[in-house]
Amino acid sequence: MAVHEHPHRTSGFHLPTFRRNGSASEGAVTAVATATTTARAYGFASLRLLTGFVFLWAFLDKTFGFGYATPSGKGWVDGGSPTKGFLSGVAAGPMESTFHDWAGAGWADWLFMLGLLGIGVALVSGVALRLAAVAGTAMMALMWIAEWPPARHLSDGSLSMSTNPFADYHLIYAVVIIALAAAGAGATWGLGRVWAKLPVVRDHNWLR
């Protein structure tokens, strides 16, 4: 009886192929990365809108006196001063007397209110975030100096009741605005992409 060999039929151990599984894993990783990027964009956009509303609302309330921080009839349009109450109440820090001199000055009122409006509009719309970061940081730094958290006692000797010698909400707002500008947070739920395509903005990156 003849024995015929079958050269194409082999026996033994074979390593499995992972080509299809590898592609599926790469696809899963890409999907996770995309979802993470999208979630980050939405998170920054939400933070941008909320922060912008803080500045925009402060401008509106101080202008029209909605009865929150600014009593009705005491708004800017009614002849009130947006800076007089805050700056005249400064009771500590190296610029105490300077802030008292600035309190209620017309130029101080205009700069303060235009700063609130400009920063608020920029953050809500998602445009000129770098400019908003510079202006917002300067404003928050001055307000931090005005409240002067490092002081344990006020100039009259009473306790300052400062809750932290360094970190307060002014510094947090400044860092948030800088982070929003660095992350390009105006592209999601904002006009950042349209703004960036304008010729003058393309030629001057500091306007983005």
Side-chain angles (χ1 to χ4, degrees):
M1 182 177 180
V3 178
H4 301 280
E5 295 183 357
H6 300 277
H8 300 291
R9 185 179 300 172
T10 60
S11 60
F13 178 77
H14 298 277
L15 292 173
T17 177
F18 295 98
R19 182 175 301 173
R20 182 172 301 177
N21 292 338
S23 299
S25 299
E26 292 175 1
V29 171
T30 301
V32 170
T34 301
T36 301
T37 301
T38 302
R40 184 184 298 114
Y42 287 148
F44 273 117
S46 300
L47 182 60
R48 189 196 84 236
L49 291 172
L50 289 173
T51 306
F53 182 71
V54 170
F55 284 86
L56 196 56
W57 175 260
F59 168 80
L60 295 173
D61 184 53
K62 293 179 183 301
T63 299
F64 301 105
F66 288 147
Y68 287 87
T70 305
S72 179
K74 299 293 185 179
W76 197 22
V77 296
D78 301 310
S81 171
T83 63
K84 186 174 182 179
F86 177 70
L87 293 182
S88 62
V90 173
M95 295 183 63
E96 179 181 352
S97 60
T98 302
F99 286 134
H100 290 172
D101 293 338
W102 292 356
W107 65 267
D109 290 341
W110 275 98
L111 280 180
F112 179 59
M113 295 300 283
L114 289 177
L116 289 178
L117 178 62
I119 296 168
V121 170
L123 291 175
V124 170
S125 63
V127 304
L129 295 185
R130 294 182 180 180
L131 285 177
V134 173
T137 299
M139 179 183 290
M140 292 299 102
L142 286 173
M143 296 181 74
W144 184 87
I145 295 173
E147 294 197 359
W148 199 244
R152 294 183 180 181
H153 297 84
L154 302 179
S155 55
D156 61 2
S158 61
L159 292 175
S160 67
M161 304 302 292
S162 176
T163 58
N164 190 291
F166 176 73
D168 73 343
Y169 64 98
H170 296 110
L171 296 184
I172 294 174
Y173 279 138
V175 171
V176 165
I177 300 174
I178 293 172
L180 292 173
T188 303
W189 295 343
L191 302 176
R193 295 184 188 277
V194 177
W195 176 260
K197 292 179 181 179
L198 296 178
V200 63
V201 179
R202 288 202 306 264
D203 295 338
H204 302 86
N205 286 330
W206 57 272
L207 291 174
R208 299 187 65 176

